[in-house]
Amino acid sequence: MSMSDYLSNAWQPTPDDIASSNVNALMERLGVGSYDALLAVSNAQPEVYWQAVLDFCGVVWDTGYRTYLDTQAGSEFPKWFVGGRLNWVKSVLQWAGDPELAQHDAVVAEREDGTIVRVTFADLATRVAAFATGLKAQGIQRGDRVGLLMENGIEATVTLLAIAWSGAIVVPLFSGFGVDAIVSRLSSCSARALVATTGFHRRGKRVDTRKLVDEALTRVPAVETVIWKHANEPIDFHARVLDWQTLARTRPEGEPESMSPDDPFMVIYTSGTTGKPKGAVHTHGGFPLKIAHDAAVHFDVRRGDVFCWPADMGWIAGSLVMSSALMRGATLVCYDGAPDFPDWSRMSRLIERHRITHFGSAPTLIRGLAANAALAAQGDVSSVRLLITAGEGIDPEHFSWFQKAFGGGRRPVINYTGGTEVSGALLSSVVVRPISPGGFNTASPSVAVDVVDVHGETVLGSVGELAIRRPFVGMTHSFWQDDERYLDSYWRTIPGMWVHGDLALRREDGTYFLLGRSDDTIKLAGKRVGPAEIEEVLLELPAIAEAAAIGVDDPVKGQKLVVFLVPAPGWRGEADELQRAVCAHIDVRLGRPFRPGVVHAVTQLPKTRSSKIMRRVIRSVYSGLPAGDLSALDNPAALDEIRLAAAR
């Protein structure tokens, strides 16, 4: 698709879209007449911008702050909202005292078996205070690390909020982790307690997590207290093995702990290319305020909206989705099962059942929905006002399909990219500007995003590194007890700026496109090319459902392109036929120098639970190198197919 095609297919806001938006209300509050002017204020006067945002979002403070930012320790270690005191959970629980929202649904949890449970904002506040009081009664203190391994739902939401309420630090764990992954994370942060589920259902079958957790706990002696959420299994409850429901019935006492904006409330681990996972540290005055901002500015969430973006609480998306809804007084709809169970209509039926206004999805799920379009679109999605996609790059065709099938062609799709280490958006879109399929129409306000070359110089209209030139609200406060790794990861590639590890391109009109991770870069015909650029072209072929492109060492060319393809459902051709079709299409779309050296057809690609394709793992396994940290891998059998491909 050419740049002119991107422009001609852009979503255009109506005057009503603009006038009714949160961005427009924020512009009026700042006294500016355009989004460009708002963006300029956010970067030139961030202290003015953030004061307006915090007021607009109704963030609750115990004590107002004196200074927006202190960088005396260096840009790498900023202090935010100096002098202020808050506990971000108060900003969620404030709606319990709002006459219009107190009896409104705060959380609606739908299980895979169809069971639906609801709690109001008033009930949520009582439950959080009760569970937090129960935690304190068990000796959980301010600053203690508490693991959280639970399927998405009301209990997980209450638990996370209660841990933060008490001043402790939550350590989210993916519900599909193996023993080693659980052990490494709990050990790394010296967790004192763990709140865990004994199991949940996925595709109609029970997933037993209790056995894994029991084994992990034998290797983590620092964990003194285990709190089980269970389905009536016999458990030997005693002083240090407790029942979740019993703690949830504790009589609420006291108020949320008053914290410094720089006090941690979460340590969340993200996989590195090699070595142990990195523990990003998020604080009361960082992550929640950034997410409240993004929910208002990028997602246009308002009081009374209904927000659903199925996500595991063990990844950053889980707490991001929860905060996006609850910080804004919107209803959070949780779903804990497979998105295609009992069939591919589940997501649209979910939207229909709960009259969801905001729906988010990873690109991989969107591709699965599109490949099963007849079923996927069976539900009534007319309630949708805005769609979101995030987690990895998305090709323009599937972006446009999502807008048409789930947004009726009238609702915008907000592309959103940030990462575990930065809380929310670096790049995203706003509803007051046109949106090009697959693109981002703005840098997130007050985040000094740039696209730079290896020397840190700005590049326009060509591929460069995505970088941030100044500290920004929401950035991790280093890695847990590992400043050197934090500095090496983000600040030392180009001294003086945060280099995020993504390849990006910025057009003259201010639209950005991501082209894959910079460490996934492939150099062909003397040019750097991102895997997403190749994969987007491959996905234009109707015979291909999914694609992953990697560069591997070649003694003659330096690197050659290897692609792994998952054929579309119903495809019955031969592997040679697929390779010929791929090469012919690449010749036309990108040129013969970009033709793949090898094409492999597989039944699945290695992915995380959040559906990100693990290209670095594919490259390592295919090249016979150590695979690195596999704790995030959801489908280990996919690696066997990569090894078989390498052996051929």
Side-chain angles (χ1 to χ4, degrees):
M1 184 176 286
S2 68
M3 286 300 178
S4 61
D5 291 328
Y6 280 116
L7 288 169
S8 63
N9 290 322
W11 174 83
Q12 298 286 342
T14 66
D16 183 63
D17 290 327
I18 296 171
S20 63
S21 69
N22 288 329
V23 168
N24 191 60
L26 191 54
M27 285 161 46
E28 292 177 354
R29 188 177 287 259
L30 286 164
V32 299
S34 68
Y35 180 73
D36 286 346
L38 178 148
L39 203 57
V41 168
S42 77
N43 286 303
Q45 298 176 279
E47 66 284 355
V48 172
Y49 177 76
W50 272 97
Q51 183 63 65
V53 166
L54 297 175
D55 290 345
F56 180 76
C57 291
V59 172
V60 177
W61 294 83
D62 297 331
T63 304
Y65 63 90
R66 298 188 308 271
T67 306
Y68 161 72
L69 173 63
D70 178 354
T71 57
Q72 289 187 31
S75 296
E76 304 89 344
F77 301 100
K79 293 186 179 297
W80 300 99
F81 308 112
V82 180
R85 305 286 300 181
L86 81 164
N87 187 307
W88 75 271
V89 177
K90 281 189 173 182
S91 295
V92 170
L93 303 186
Q94 66 176 314
W95 310 120
D98 187 313
E100 294 181 2
L101 289 180
Q103 298 307 315
H104 197 81
D105 284 342
V107 185
V108 178
E110 179 170 318
R111 300 298 189 197
E112 190 179 73
D113 66 3
T115 303
I116 298 172
V117 184
R118 304 170 184 272
V119 296
T120 65
F121 278 103
D123 190 23
L124 179 65
T126 300
R127 292 187 184 212
V128 170
F131 199 78
T133 304
L135 288 175
K136 286 192 167 188
Q138 299 304 320
I140 303 302
Q141 302 175 7
R142 179 192 191 106
D144 285 344
R145 276 75 64 202
V146 180
L148 172 60
L149 195 160
M150 300 175 79
E151 71 277 27
N152 207 0
I154 290 169
E155 296 90 344
T157 301
V158 167
T159 302
L160 191 150
L161 292 172
I163 292 169
W165 192 99
S166 65
I169 301 170
V170 65
V171 184
L173 300 167
F174 168 43
S175 58
F177 271 154
V179 174
D180 289 346
I182 296 170
V183 169
S184 67
R185 286 155 175 78
L186 295 178
S187 299
S188 174
C189 65
S190 302
R192 283 195 60 204
L194 172 66
V195 185
T197 183
T198 57
F200 56 94
H201 285 83
R202 191 164 180 84
R203 291 192 171 88
K205 297 180 180 179
R206 181 167 172 79
V207 177
D208 183 6
T209 55
R210 182 179 172 186
K211 184 177 180 181
L212 287 172
V213 172
D214 280 341
E215 183 180 344
L217 291 173
T218 65
R219 296 162 54 187
V220 192
V223 175
E224 303 167 354
T225 301
V226 182
I227 303 165
W228 283 112
K229 171 191 166 289
H230 62 104
N232 301 315
E233 295 103 323
I235 297 175
D236 180 20
F237 294 114
H238 51 80
R240 288 304 176 190
V241 179
L242 308 170
D243 175 32
W244 192 95
Q245 291 292 349
T246 300
L247 258 68
R249 291 191 292 267
T250 305
R251 181 178 177 179
E253 293 181 2
E255 292 291 321
E257 287 288 320
S258 185
M259 312 296 287
S260 162
D262 293 314
D263 282 337
F265 84 91
M266 177 167 65
V267 175
I268 184 162
Y269 287 86
T270 181
S271 298
T273 308
T274 59
K276 63 182 181 180
K278 304 171 291 186
V281 179
H282 289 305
T283 64
H284 282 262
F287 175 94
L289 306 192
K290 171 61 172 166
I291 300 309
H293 167 277
D294 288 5
V297 171
H298 297 303
F299 303 155
D300 202 37
V301 181
R302 308 165 199 169
R303 290 161 55 107
D305 283 340
V306 183
F307 194 101
C308 180
W309 181 351
D312 195 286
M313 290 298 287
W315 302 125
I316 196 70
S319 48
L320 185 155
V321 170
M322 182 192 72
S323 302
S324 293
L326 299 182
M327 290 285 284
R328 298 290 298 144
T331 298
L332 171 68
V333 175
C334 302
Y335 173 64
D336 70 348
D340 59 349
F341 187 87
D343 58 46
W344 280 101
S345 71
R346 187 64 185 253
M347 292 294 95
S348 61
R349 300 291 188 195
L350 189 75
I351 293 170
E352 177 181 358
R353 249 187 310 279
H354 304 294
R355 305 305 295 161
I356 289 164
T357 60
H358 292 65
F359 182 71
S361 174
T364 297
L365 175 55
I366 293 170
R367 291 192 288 270
L369 292 165
N372 298 272
L375 269 175
Q378 284 190 354
D380 177 4
V381 296
S382 60
S383 61
V384 170
R385 197 176 83 237
L386 181 144
L387 298 162
I388 307 162
T389 185
E392 61 177 324
I394 183 168
D395 59 279
E397 290 75 18
H398 283 100
F399 185 100
S400 298
W401 179 89
F402 190 41
Q403 181 180 318
K404 182 177 180 181
F406 278 70
R410 304 178 306 278
R411 304 307 184 189
V413 178
I414 302 298
N415 208 354
Y416 185 81
T417 187
T420 302
E421 298 92 330
V422 299
S423 299
L426 301 178
L427 301 173
S428 191
S429 290
V430 289
V431 299
V432 299
R433 282 180 162 180
I435 301 172
S436 294
F440 308 84
N441 70 13
T442 184
S444 193
S446 88
V447 183
V449 169
D450 203 353
V451 180
V452 302
D453 62 19
V454 294
H455 305 294
E457 299 296 325
T458 299
V459 295
L460 185 63
S462 59
V463 178
E465 289 272 2
L466 186 68
I468 302 94
R469 292 191 175 275
R470 294 191 302 274
F472 51 97
V473 174
M475 59 185 276
T476 179
H477 279 223
S478 190
F479 296 151
W480 184 259
Q481 297 181 341
D482 200 346
D483 288 350
E484 284 300 306
R485 193 177 184 197
Y486 161 68
L487 293 170
D488 283 342
S489 296
Y490 292 108
W491 291 98
R492 287 172 173 161
T493 302
I494 304 175
M497 66 177 68
W498 176 295
V499 177
H500 196 58
D502 283 322
L503 292 175
L505 180 147
R506 180 172 54 190
R507 273 190 337 216
E508 290 186 5
D509 68 351
T511 297
Y512 295 81
F513 295 92
L514 286 187
L515 301 172
R517 294 289 295 175
S518 55
D519 52 7
D520 289 337
T521 302
I522 306 163
K523 193 168 186 179
L524 302 171
K527 297 179 180 178
R528 297 200 311 170
V529 59
E533 187 173 355
I534 294 166
E535 291 161 7
E536 285 179 8
V537 172
L538 294 172
L539 290 169
E540 294 171 355
L541 291 169
I544 297 172
E546 293 183 293
I550 63 170
V552 300
D553 292 339
D554 183 90
V556 177
K557 299 179 180 179
Q559 267 199 329
K560 68 178 177 182
L561 174 63
V562 177
V563 298
F564 292 83
L565 308 175
V566 177
W571 186 78
R572 294 293 182 267
E574 298 293 330
D576 289 348
E577 179 185 346
L578 187 62
Q579 173 144 357
R580 286 194 297 272
V582 163
C583 290
H585 189 60
I586 291 287
D587 286 356
V588 172
R589 294 288 281 107
L590 294 177
R592 190 178 179 88
F594 294 92
R595 176 184 283 195
V598 185
V599 175
H600 294 289
V602 294
T603 63
Q604 59 182 324
L605 296 171
K607 296 176 188 173
T608 66
R609 176 71 179 273
S610 57
S611 296
K612 291 184 182 179
I613 295 171
M614 302 178 76
R615 295 179 186 86
R616 281 173 287 173
V617 171
I618 294 173
R619 187 174 65 240
S620 295
V621 170
Y622 188 78
S623 302
L625 301 172
D629 180 15
L630 295 178
S631 58
L633 180 64
D634 189 43
N635 54 338
L639 298 186
D640 294 333
E641 293 198 52
I642 304 301
R643 294 187 182 98
L644 284 173
R648 288 199 290 267

